[in-house]
Amino acid sequence: LEVESKRPQNTIDVGQLFLDYSDRFQVYAEYCANATAAKKRMEALAVSNTRFAEFCERARSNVLHKGLDTASFLIKPLQRLCQYPLLLR
């Protein structure tokens, strides 16, 4: 309680927010479970579907994407998930 009273009023208890919204993180479990299959499917599509391959190339060459390919965007949620424990320490 003493620690609580010393905390400035404008701070947020990030750990408590994670606990409050933990049920919403379930989507990460499904995403992670399917990530490898999704990447393989995307690679297969890029080989078998020229329109998809062209889309991926246009996306990669978009200056806003900073040269990242579509697969790089698919891995972002996994990378973000790994950063949460570091944030909470």
Side-chain angles (χ1 to χ4, degrees):
L1 190 60
E2 206 173 298
V3 173
E4 211 44 52
S5 64
K6 292 180 182 179
R7 181 183 298 156
Q9 287 184 343
N10 63 349
T11 63
I12 297 172
D13 185 347
V14 177
Q16 186 59 49
L17 285 174
F18 269 81
L19 292 174
D20 293 346
Y21 293 95
S22 62
D23 60 317
R24 297 184 183 187
F25 287 98
Q26 183 58 37
V27 71
Y28 275 113
E30 187 173 343
Y31 191 92
C32 293
N34 292 304
T36 302
K39 185 175 186 286
K40 286 180 182 178
R41 178 71 175 134
M42 199 175 79
E43 290 168 351
L45 272 174
V47 171
S48 66
N49 185 322
T50 56
R51 287 183 65 200
F52 183 72
E54 290 167 1
F55 164 79
C56 290
E57 182 53 35
R58 280 193 313 274
R60 189 192 63 74
S61 62
N62 184 322
V63 68
L64 296 174
H65 297 170
K66 301 177 183 176
L68 296 174
D69 63 0
T70 310
S72 297
F73 289 101
L74 290 176
I75 197 73
K76 277 290 186 198
L78 296 170
Q79 293 170 334
R80 187 167 292 132
L81 185 62
C82 294
Q83 292 171 351
Y84 290 149
L86 299 173
L87 172 69
L88 296 173
R89 285 188 188 158

